[in-house]
Amino acid sequence: MIGLGILALVYGDFALVWQPVAPWVPGRTALAYLSGLIMLFGGAGLLFDATVTWSVRMLFPYLIVWALLKVPALVVAPQIEGVWLGFGELVVLLAGGWTLFAVLAGLPERSFLSFATGERGVRIARILFAVSILPIGLAHIIYVKETAALVPAWLPFRAGWAYLTGVGQIACGLGVLFSIFPRVAAATEAGMISLFALLVWFPAILAAPKKRLPWTAFFISWAIAAGAWVVAQNIVRKRSDRPKV
């Protein structure tokens, strides 16, 4: 989040296709700077016990609005799987933020957002996470050619890796959704996203360190992976367990 915030402040813009704010929106540049500040300070606040509560309170609504930016595209072109892919990625990020909010927000019991906190909030975030993984995995299969092109050239059977990760992500989503080894499924998904960021976008940064796209894609992928890890860590095994971060 800190990295994305810095990029927003440097370029005075949103995160490319991952934050589709139309050019006609009034005050778009000012909103981009505001978005950058929220990500920068929100991300930094997560690092310290003294500020983590206010950080999750700030990031949770921000991540909701961010995910909703993809809704107009879903309405206009629901038949395009790529649109669901983009929405699914942002909902994974939101699920991670929601889990942090549920565990760390510290809201009073009578708050109108109390339904989104505690074990209930963690459960809702987990369901969102599981459902959002499905279109991500499906995209690997439908767009196998494009996915294979992202696989590092030194790996053999690049199309095979595209199919394998697609099927694997769908299996992870179903595993979390139906509580079939949900911790393992969520951690496996988080691991796949992490490897994707490291194997695809980190080399792209090294190849073109002055270009904006590789940096943006890496930070987005890393943030999504972090959200997946948070969800995985907070899947409770027993009723007596408590969510943790």
Side-chain angles (χ1 to χ4, degrees), residues 1 3-25 27-39 62 66 69 212-213 216 220:
M1 297 303 291
L4 290 171
I6 292 173
L7 288 176
L9 296 175
V10 169
Y11 291 98
D13 196 8
F14 295 94
L16 302 176
V17 297
W18 292 277
Q19 286 183 325
V21 178
W24 52 263
V25 173
R28 187 181 187 277
T29 300
L31 290 173
Y33 281 117
L34 176 62
S35 173
L37 290 172
I38 292 174
M39 290 188 287
Y62 175 80
W66 188 351
L69 291 176
R212 178 183 171 193
L213 174 61
T216 303
I220 287 283

mmCIF file of all heavy atoms in Angstrom, residues 1 3-25 27-39 62 66 69 212-213 216 220:
data_model
loop_
_atom_site.group_PDB
_atom_site.id
_atom_site.type_symbol
_atom_site.label_atom_id
_atom_site.label_comp_id
_atom_site.label_asym_id
_atom_site.label_seq_id
_atom_site.Cartn_x
_atom_site.Cartn_y
_atom_site.Cartn_z
ATOM 1 N N MET A 1 0.824 -1.204 0.000
ATOM 2 C CA MET A 1 0.000 0.000 0.000
ATOM 3 C C MET A 1 0.857 1.253 0.000
ATOM 4 O O MET A 1 0.533 2.242 -0.656
ATOM 5 C CB MET A 1 -0.932 -0.003 1.220
ATOM 6 C CG MET A 1 -1.938 -1.149 1.254
ATOM 7 S SD MET A 1 -3.004 -1.211 -0.197
ATOM 8 C CE MET A 1 -3.997 0.232 0.026
ATOM 9 N N GLY A 3 3.823 1.512 -1.321
ATOM 10 C CA GLY A 3 4.363 1.645 -2.672
ATOM 11 C C GLY A 3 3.347 2.225 -3.637
ATOM 12 O O GLY A 3 3.670 3.096 -4.460
ATOM 13 N N LEU A 4 2.115 1.753 -3.570
ATOM 14 C CA LEU A 4 1.065 2.281 -4.448
ATOM 15 C C LEU A 4 0.789 3.744 -4.134
ATOM 16 O O LEU A 4 0.525 4.544 -5.043
ATOM 17 C CB LEU A 4 -0.212 1.461 -4.273
ATOM 18 C CG LEU A 4 -0.175 0.034 -4.830
ATOM 19 C CD1 LEU A 4 -1.405 -0.746 -4.392
ATOM 20 C CD2 LEU A 4 -0.076 0.059 -6.350
ATOM 21 N N GLY A 5 0.843 4.100 -2.855
ATOM 22 C CA GLY A 5 0.637 5.489 -2.485
ATOM 23 C C GLY A 5 1.716 6.397 -3.041
ATOM 24 O O GLY A 5 1.432 7.492 -3.540
ATOM 25 N N ILE A 6 2.949 5.937 -2.976
ATOM 26 C CA ILE A 6 4.059 6.731 -3.516
ATOM 27 C C ILE A 6 3.903 6.921 -5.019
ATOM 28 O O ILE A 6 4.102 8.022 -5.554
ATOM 29 C CB ILE A 6 5.405 6.061 -3.186
ATOM 30 C CG1 ILE A 6 5.664 6.129 -1.675
ATOM 31 C CG2 ILE A 6 6.545 6.725 -3.957
ATOM 32 C CD1 ILE A 6 6.881 5.357 -1.218
ATOM 33 N N LEU A 7 3.531 5.852 -5.729
ATOM 34 C CA LEU A 7 3.339 5.963 -7.178
ATOM 35 C C LEU A 7 2.229 6.961 -7.505
ATOM 36 O O LEU A 7 2.354 7.758 -8.452
ATOM 37 C CB LEU A 7 2.998 4.592 -7.771
ATOM 38 C CG LEU A 7 4.133 3.572 -7.845
ATOM 39 C CD1 LEU A 7 3.609 2.237 -8.358
ATOM 40 C CD2 LEU A 7 5.263 4.074 -8.752
ATOM 41 N N ALA A 8 1.151 6.934 -6.746
ATOM 42 C CA ALA A 8 0.045 7.865 -6.992
ATOM 43 C C ALA A 8 0.494 9.310 -6.799
ATOM 44 O O ALA A 8 0.106 10.205 -7.558
ATOM 45 C CB ALA A 8 -1.122 7.538 -6.065
ATOM 46 N N LEU A 9 1.323 9.545 -5.794
ATOM 47 C CA LEU A 9 1.799 10.902 -5.530
ATOM 48 C C LEU A 9 2.833 11.346 -6.558
ATOM 49 O O LEU A 9 2.882 12.519 -6.927
ATOM 50 C CB LEU A 9 2.387 10.973 -4.117
ATOM 51 C CG LEU A 9 1.392 10.732 -2.972
ATOM 52 C CD1 LEU A 9 2.121 10.718 -1.639
ATOM 53 C CD2 LEU A 9 0.296 11.797 -2.967
ATOM 54 N N VAL A 10 3.648 10.426 -7.020
ATOM 55 C CA VAL A 10 4.667 10.766 -8.020
ATOM 56 C C VAL A 10 4.023 11.116 -9.366
ATOM 57 O O VAL A 10 4.386 12.098 -10.014
ATOM 58 C CB VAL A 10 5.668 9.611 -8.185
ATOM 59 C CG1 VAL A 10 6.566 9.839 -9.415
ATOM 60 C CG2 VAL A 10 6.521 9.462 -6.936
ATOM 61 N N TYR A 11 3.043 10.298 -9.786
ATOM 62 C CA TYR A 11 2.435 10.476 -11.109
ATOM 63 C C TYR A 11 1.148 11.302 -11.068
ATOM 64 O O TYR A 11 0.625 11.662 -12.133
ATOM 65 C CB TYR A 11 2.144 9.113 -11.745
ATOM 66 C CG TYR A 11 3.393 8.361 -12.144
ATOM 67 C CD1 TYR A 11 3.930 7.382 -11.319
ATOM 68 C CD2 TYR A 11 4.047 8.644 -13.338
ATOM 69 C CE1 TYR A 11 5.083 6.691 -11.674
ATOM 70 C CE2 TYR A 11 5.199 7.966 -13.708
ATOM 71 C CZ TYR A 11 5.713 6.993 -12.872
ATOM 72 O OH TYR A 11 6.863 6.312 -13.228
ATOM 73 N N GLY A 12 0.629 11.592 -9.882
ATOM 74 C CA GLY A 12 -0.628 12.322 -9.803
ATOM 75 C C GLY A 12 -1.753 11.598 -10.498
ATOM 76 O O GLY A 12 -2.626 12.209 -11.127
ATOM 77 N N ASP A 13 -1.771 10.273 -10.364
ATOM 78 C CA ASP A 13 -2.734 9.460 -11.104
ATOM 79 C C ASP A 13 -3.080 8.222 -10.286
ATOM 80 O O ASP A 13 -2.390 7.871 -9.322
ATOM 81 C CB ASP A 13 -2.151 9.054 -12.448
ATOM 82 C CG ASP A 13 -3.202 8.557 -13.424
ATOM 83 O OD1 ASP A 13 -4.410 8.677 -13.114
ATOM 84 O OD2 ASP A 13 -2.828 8.047 -14.492
ATOM 85 N N PHE A 14 -4.139 7.560 -10.711
ATOM 86 C CA PHE A 14 -4.549 6.321 -10.080
ATOM 87 C C PHE A 14 -3.733 5.150 -10.626
ATOM 88 O O PHE A 14 -2.928 5.315 -11.549
ATOM 89 C CB PHE A 14 -6.048 6.092 -10.298
ATOM 90 C CG PHE A 14 -6.919 7.119 -9.624
ATOM 91 C CD1 PHE A 14 -7.366 8.234 -10.308
ATOM 92 C CD2 PHE A 14 -7.279 6.961 -8.294
ATOM 93 C CE1 PHE A 14 -8.167 9.184 -9.690
ATOM 94 C CE2 PHE A 14 -8.079 7.905 -7.663
ATOM 95 C CZ PHE A 14 -8.520 9.019 -8.361
ATOM 96 N N ALA A 15 -3.991 3.968 -10.078
ATOM 97 C CA ALA A 15 -3.177 2.787 -10.401
ATOM 98 C C ALA A 15 -3.610 2.126 -11.704
ATOM 99 O O ALA A 15 -4.039 0.959 -11.729
ATOM 100 C CB ALA A 15 -3.234 1.782 -9.249
ATOM 101 N N LEU A 16 -3.522 2.871 -12.784
ATOM 102 C CA LEU A 16 -3.752 2.349 -14.135
ATOM 103 C C LEU A 16 -5.071 1.582 -14.195
ATOM 104 O O LEU A 16 -6.080 2.046 -13.699
ATOM 105 C CB LEU A 16 -2.560 1.483 -14.556
ATOM 106 C CG LEU A 16 -1.197 2.210 -14.545
ATOM 107 C CD1 LEU A 16 -0.060 1.246 -14.882
ATOM 108 C CD2 LEU A 16 -1.205 3.384 -15.503
ATOM 109 N N VAL A 17 -5.077 0.389 -14.818
ATOM 110 C CA VAL A 17 -6.326 -0.360 -15.012
ATOM 111 C C VAL A 17 -6.892 -0.889 -13.700
ATOM 112 O O VAL A 17 -8.063 -1.277 -13.634
ATOM 113 C CB VAL A 17 -6.117 -1.535 -15.983
ATOM 114 C CG1 VAL A 17 -5.734 -1.017 -17.360
ATOM 115 C CG2 VAL A 17 -5.057 -2.500 -15.463
ATOM 116 N N TRP A 18 -6.083 -0.905 -12.650
ATOM 117 C CA TRP A 18 -6.562 -1.430 -11.366
ATOM 118 C C TRP A 18 -7.385 -0.406 -10.593
ATOM 119 O O TRP A 18 -8.064 -0.773 -9.645
ATOM 120 C CB TRP A 18 -5.383 -1.913 -10.525
ATOM 121 C CG TRP A 18 -4.722 -3.113 -11.104
ATOM 122 C CD1 TRP A 18 -5.097 -4.422 -10.960
ATOM 123 C CD2 TRP A 18 -3.560 -3.136 -11.942
ATOM 124 N NE1 TRP A 18 -4.242 -5.249 -11.645
ATOM 125 C CE2 TRP A 18 -3.287 -4.487 -12.259
ATOM 126 C CE3 TRP A 18 -2.716 -2.143 -12.449
ATOM 127 C CZ2 TRP A 18 -2.212 -4.863 -13.055
ATOM 128 C CZ3 TRP A 18 -1.648 -2.519 -13.251
ATOM 129 C CH2 TRP A 18 -1.403 -3.866 -13.548
ATOM 130 N N GLN A 19 -7.313 0.852 -10.965
ATOM 131 C CA GLN A 19 -8.151 1.890 -10.374
ATOM 132 C C GLN A 19 -8.784 2.705 -11.500
ATOM 133 O O GLN A 19 -8.345 3.808 -11.816
ATOM 134 C CB GLN A 19 -7.339 2.793 -9.445
ATOM 135 C CG GLN A 19 -6.978 2.138 -8.121
ATOM 136 C CD GLN A 19 -6.231 3.076 -7.194
ATOM 137 O OE1 GLN A 19 -5.436 3.899 -7.637
ATOM 138 N NE2 GLN A 19 -6.459 2.939 -5.895
ATOM 139 N N PRO A 20 -9.822 2.152 -12.135
ATOM 140 C CA PRO A 20 -10.398 2.773 -13.343
ATOM 141 C C PRO A 20 -11.287 3.979 -13.035
ATOM 142 O O PRO A 20 -12.511 3.889 -13.032
ATOM 143 C CB PRO A 20 -11.206 1.627 -13.955
ATOM 144 C CG PRO A 20 -11.633 0.816 -12.770
ATOM 145 C CD PRO A 20 -10.491 0.887 -11.790
ATOM 146 N N VAL A 21 -10.661 5.105 -12.785
ATOM 147 C CA VAL A 21 -11.399 6.350 -12.570
ATOM 148 C C VAL A 21 -11.428 7.104 -13.894
ATOM 149 O O VAL A 21 -10.383 7.427 -14.456
ATOM 150 C CB VAL A 21 -10.741 7.208 -11.474
ATOM 151 C CG1 VAL A 21 -11.505 8.513 -11.299
ATOM 152 C CG2 VAL A 21 -10.691 6.434 -10.155
ATOM 153 N N ALA A 22 -12.618 7.372 -14.397
ATOM 154 C CA ALA A 22 -12.778 7.987 -15.713
ATOM 155 C C ALA A 22 -12.161 9.388 -15.768
ATOM 156 O O ALA A 22 -12.172 10.116 -14.759
ATOM 157 C CB ALA A 22 -14.251 8.059 -16.079
ATOM 158 N N PRO A 23 -11.633 9.779 -16.929
ATOM 159 C CA PRO A 23 -11.021 11.112 -17.068
ATOM 160 C C PRO A 23 -11.993 12.262 -16.813
ATOM 161 O O PRO A 23 -11.565 13.356 -16.451
ATOM 162 C CB PRO A 23 -10.525 11.122 -18.522
ATOM 163 C CG PRO A 23 -10.390 9.679 -18.897
ATOM 164 C CD PRO A 23 -11.471 8.969 -18.148
ATOM 165 N N TRP A 24 -13.304 12.024 -17.008
ATOM 166 C CA TRP A 24 -14.274 13.108 -16.861
ATOM 167 C C TRP A 24 -14.657 13.378 -15.399
ATOM 168 O O TRP A 24 -15.390 14.342 -15.124
ATOM 169 C CB TRP A 24 -15.551 12.793 -17.654
ATOM 170 C CG TRP A 24 -16.162 11.452 -17.369
ATOM 171 C CD1 TRP A 24 -15.999 10.303 -18.073
ATOM 172 C CD2 TRP A 24 -17.029 11.127 -16.265
ATOM 173 N NE1 TRP A 24 -16.715 9.272 -17.505
ATOM 174 C CE2 TRP A 24 -17.355 9.756 -16.391
ATOM 175 C CE3 TRP A 24 -17.565 11.853 -15.202
ATOM 176 C CZ2 TRP A 24 -18.185 9.095 -15.484
ATOM 177 C CZ3 TRP A 24 -18.392 11.203 -14.297
ATOM 178 C CH2 TRP A 24 -18.694 9.850 -14.439
ATOM 179 N N VAL A 25 -14.195 12.569 -14.487
ATOM 180 C CA VAL A 25 -14.548 12.764 -13.079
ATOM 181 C C VAL A 25 -13.994 14.108 -12.593
ATOM 182 O O VAL A 25 -12.799 14.377 -12.734
ATOM 183 C CB VAL A 25 -13.980 11.615 -12.214
ATOM 184 C CG1 VAL A 25 -14.191 11.909 -10.727
ATOM 185 C CG2 VAL A 25 -14.635 10.296 -12.596
ATOM 186 N N GLY A 27 -12.253 16.937 -10.586
ATOM 187 C CA GLY A 27 -11.182 16.902 -9.595
ATOM 188 C C GLY A 27 -10.416 15.595 -9.583
ATOM 189 O O GLY A 27 -9.927 15.174 -8.526
ATOM 190 N N ARG A 28 -10.288 14.972 -10.735
ATOM 191 C CA ARG A 28 -9.678 13.653 -10.800
ATOM 192 C C ARG A 28 -8.254 13.657 -10.252
ATOM 193 O O ARG A 28 -7.864 12.760 -9.496
ATOM 194 C CB ARG A 28 -9.674 13.140 -12.246
ATOM 195 C CG ARG A 28 -9.201 11.688 -12.396
ATOM 196 C CD ARG A 28 -9.209 11.275 -13.858
ATOM 197 N NE ARG A 28 -8.922 9.864 -14.000
ATOM 198 C CZ ARG A 28 -7.694 9.336 -14.010
ATOM 199 N NH1 ARG A 28 -6.646 10.145 -13.847
ATOM 200 N NH2 ARG A 28 -7.507 8.041 -14.150
ATOM 201 N N THR A 29 -7.457 14.631 -10.623
ATOM 202 C CA THR A 29 -6.064 14.680 -10.161
ATOM 203 C C THR A 29 -5.998 14.861 -8.649
ATOM 204 O O THR A 29 -5.211 14.198 -7.957
ATOM 205 C CB THR A 29 -5.310 15.824 -10.851
ATOM 206 O OG1 THR A 29 -5.329 15.610 -12.279
ATOM 207 C CG2 THR A 29 -3.860 15.864 -10.382
ATOM 208 N N ALA A 30 -6.844 15.736 -8.113
ATOM 209 C CA ALA A 30 -6.875 15.937 -6.663
ATOM 210 C C ALA A 30 -7.283 14.652 -5.953
ATOM 211 O O ALA A 30 -6.728 14.297 -4.899
ATOM 212 C CB ALA A 30 -7.831 17.072 -6.315
ATOM 213 N N LEU A 31 -8.246 13.940 -6.535
ATOM 214 C CA LEU A 31 -8.675 12.670 -5.953
ATOM 215 C C LEU A 31 -7.553 11.630 -5.993
ATOM 216 O O LEU A 31 -7.417 10.813 -5.074
ATOM 217 C CB LEU A 31 -9.907 12.139 -6.687
ATOM 218 C CG LEU A 31 -11.210 12.921 -6.470
ATOM 219 C CD1 LEU A 31 -12.300 12.384 -7.381
ATOM 220 C CD2 LEU A 31 -11.649 12.833 -5.006
ATOM 221 N N ALA A 32 -6.762 11.675 -7.069
ATOM 222 C CA ALA A 32 -5.637 10.740 -7.176
ATOM 223 C C ALA A 32 -4.613 11.000 -6.080
ATOM 224 O O ALA A 32 -4.085 10.055 -5.471
ATOM 225 C CB ALA A 32 -4.988 10.860 -8.551
ATOM 226 N N TYR A 33 -4.333 12.271 -5.819
ATOM 227 C CA TYR A 33 -3.401 12.600 -4.726
ATOM 228 C C TYR A 33 -3.978 12.182 -3.375
ATOM 229 O O TYR A 33 -3.254 11.667 -2.514
ATOM 230 C CB TYR A 33 -3.097 14.096 -4.738
ATOM 231 C CG TYR A 33 -2.082 14.504 -5.778
ATOM 232 C CD1 TYR A 33 -2.423 15.373 -6.818
ATOM 233 C CD2 TYR A 33 -0.775 14.025 -5.724
ATOM 234 C CE1 TYR A 33 -1.493 15.753 -7.777
ATOM 235 C CE2 TYR A 33 0.159 14.400 -6.680
ATOM 236 C CZ TYR A 33 -0.198 15.260 -7.703
ATOM 237 O OH TYR A 33 0.726 15.622 -8.654
ATOM 238 N N LEU A 34 -5.273 12.409 -3.177
ATOM 239 C CA LEU A 34 -5.913 11.996 -1.929
ATOM 240 C C LEU A 34 -5.834 10.480 -1.773
ATOM 241 O O LEU A 34 -5.537 9.968 -0.678
ATOM 242 C CB LEU A 34 -7.368 12.458 -1.916
ATOM 243 C CG LEU A 34 -8.197 12.009 -0.702
ATOM 244 C CD1 LEU A 34 -7.609 12.572 0.589
ATOM 245 C CD2 LEU A 34 -9.660 12.451 -0.867
ATOM 246 N N SER A 35 -6.091 9.768 -2.864
ATOM 247 C CA SER A 35 -5.985 8.310 -2.845
ATOM 248 C C SER A 35 -4.575 7.871 -2.476
ATOM 249 O O SER A 35 -4.379 6.944 -1.677
ATOM 250 C CB SER A 35 -6.377 7.745 -4.216
ATOM 251 O OG SER A 35 -6.142 6.354 -4.295
ATOM 252 N N GLY A 36 -3.582 8.555 -3.050
ATOM 253 C CA GLY A 36 -2.197 8.225 -2.740
ATOM 254 C C GLY A 36 -1.866 8.441 -1.272
ATOM 255 O O GLY A 36 -1.175 7.622 -0.653
ATOM 256 N N LEU A 37 -2.382 9.520 -0.707
ATOM 257 C CA LEU A 37 -2.130 9.794 0.711
ATOM 258 C C LEU A 37 -2.780 8.741 1.605
ATOM 259 O O LEU A 37 -2.197 8.312 2.606
ATOM 260 C CB LEU A 37 -2.654 11.185 1.073
ATOM 261 C CG LEU A 37 -1.874 12.370 0.488
ATOM 262 C CD1 LEU A 37 -2.609 13.685 0.770
ATOM 263 C CD2 LEU A 37 -0.457 12.427 1.065
ATOM 264 N N ILE A 38 -4.004 8.325 1.246
ATOM 265 C CA ILE A 38 -4.687 7.295 2.032
ATOM 266 C C ILE A 38 -3.896 5.992 2.004
ATOM 267 O O ILE A 38 -3.700 5.339 3.045
ATOM 268 C CB ILE A 38 -6.114 7.074 1.506
ATOM 269 C CG1 ILE A 38 -6.975 8.309 1.777
ATOM 270 C CG2 ILE A 38 -6.742 5.830 2.140
ATOM 271 C CD1 ILE A 38 -8.361 8.236 1.165
ATOM 272 N N MET A 39 -3.422 5.603 0.816
ATOM 273 C CA MET A 39 -2.657 4.359 0.718
ATOM 274 C C MET A 39 -1.322 4.466 1.443
ATOM 275 O O MET A 39 -0.895 3.528 2.125
ATOM 276 C CB MET A 39 -2.448 3.982 -0.754
ATOM 277 C CG MET A 39 -3.707 3.528 -1.453
ATOM 278 S SD MET A 39 -3.425 2.865 -3.117
ATOM 279 C CE MET A 39 -3.062 4.378 -4.024
ATOM 280 N N TYR A 62 -12.031 2.619 2.160
ATOM 281 C CA TYR A 62 -11.290 2.933 0.930
ATOM 282 C C TYR A 62 -11.272 1.726 -0.007
ATOM 283 O O TYR A 62 -11.484 1.858 -1.221
ATOM 284 C CB TYR A 62 -9.866 3.363 1.275
ATOM 285 C CG TYR A 62 -8.977 3.585 0.073
ATOM 286 C CD1 TYR A 62 -9.056 4.773 -0.647
ATOM 287 C CD2 TYR A 62 -8.083 2.609 -0.341
ATOM 288 C CE1 TYR A 62 -8.253 4.979 -1.758
ATOM 289 C CE2 TYR A 62 -7.278 2.809 -1.445
ATOM 290 C CZ TYR A 62 -7.362 3.983 -2.154
ATOM 291 O OH TYR A 62 -6.559 4.178 -3.256
ATOM 292 N N TRP A 66 -12.777 1.250 -3.735
ATOM 293 C CA TRP A 66 -11.865 0.795 -4.790
ATOM 294 C C TRP A 66 -12.483 -0.376 -5.549
ATOM 295 O O TRP A 66 -12.502 -0.388 -6.788
ATOM 296 C CB TRP A 66 -10.535 0.396 -4.159
ATOM 297 C CG TRP A 66 -9.441 0.090 -5.127
ATOM 298 C CD1 TRP A 66 -9.553 -0.042 -6.486
ATOM 299 C CD2 TRP A 66 -8.057 -0.130 -4.830
ATOM 300 N NE1 TRP A 66 -8.333 -0.339 -7.051
ATOM 301 C CE2 TRP A 66 -7.410 -0.392 -6.053
ATOM 302 C CE3 TRP A 66 -7.330 -0.138 -3.642
ATOM 303 C CZ2 TRP A 66 -6.039 -0.667 -6.108
ATOM 304 C CZ3 TRP A 66 -5.980 -0.403 -3.703
ATOM 305 C CH2 TRP A 66 -5.336 -0.668 -4.927
ATOM 306 N N LEU A 69 -15.255 0.481 -7.994
ATOM 307 C CA LEU A 69 -14.880 1.118 -9.256
ATOM 308 C C LEU A 69 -15.034 0.172 -10.442
ATOM 309 O O LEU A 69 -15.180 0.606 -11.588
ATOM 310 C CB LEU A 69 -13.426 1.613 -9.189
ATOM 311 C CG LEU A 69 -13.126 2.788 -8.254
ATOM 312 C CD1 LEU A 69 -11.636 3.083 -8.245
ATOM 313 C CD2 LEU A 69 -13.912 4.028 -8.670
ATOM 314 N N ARG A 212 6.477 2.726 -15.306
ATOM 315 C CA ARG A 212 5.470 2.754 -14.243
ATOM 316 C C ARG A 212 4.711 1.439 -14.108
ATOM 317 O O ARG A 212 4.403 0.998 -12.988
ATOM 318 C CB ARG A 212 4.495 3.895 -14.542
ATOM 319 C CG ARG A 212 3.350 4.042 -13.564
ATOM 320 C CD ARG A 212 2.437 5.157 -14.052
ATOM 321 N NE ARG A 212 1.207 5.236 -13.290
ATOM 322 C CZ ARG A 212 0.165 5.951 -13.668
ATOM 323 N NH1 ARG A 212 0.216 6.654 -14.796
ATOM 324 N NH2 ARG A 212 -0.944 5.977 -12.936
ATOM 325 N N LEU A 213 4.399 0.774 -15.226
ATOM 326 C CA LEU A 213 3.560 -0.420 -15.201
ATOM 327 C C LEU A 213 4.123 -1.539 -14.336
ATOM 328 O O LEU A 213 3.391 -2.091 -13.499
ATOM 329 C CB LEU A 213 3.306 -0.921 -16.627
ATOM 330 C CG LEU A 213 2.548 -2.247 -16.727
ATOM 331 C CD1 LEU A 213 1.165 -2.130 -16.088
ATOM 332 C CD2 LEU A 213 2.433 -2.683 -18.190
ATOM 333 N N THR A 216 3.701 -0.697 -10.638
ATOM 334 C CA THR A 216 2.296 -0.721 -10.235
ATOM 335 C C THR A 216 1.787 -2.151 -10.139
ATOM 336 O O THR A 216 1.135 -2.527 -9.154
ATOM 337 C CB THR A 216 1.437 0.075 -11.234
ATOM 338 O OG1 THR A 216 1.926 1.411 -11.331
ATOM 339 C CG2 THR A 216 -0.022 0.102 -10.794
ATOM 340 N N ILE A 220 0.505 -3.959 -6.717
ATOM 341 C CA ILE A 220 -0.874 -4.454 -6.687
ATOM 342 C C ILE A 220 -0.886 -5.942 -6.373
ATOM 343 O O ILE A 220 -1.634 -6.417 -5.504
ATOM 344 C CB ILE A 220 -1.574 -4.188 -8.029
ATOM 345 C CG1 ILE A 220 -1.905 -2.699 -8.188
ATOM 346 C CG2 ILE A 220 -2.838 -5.027 -8.157
ATOM 347 C CD1 ILE A 220 -3.095 -2.240 -7.395
#
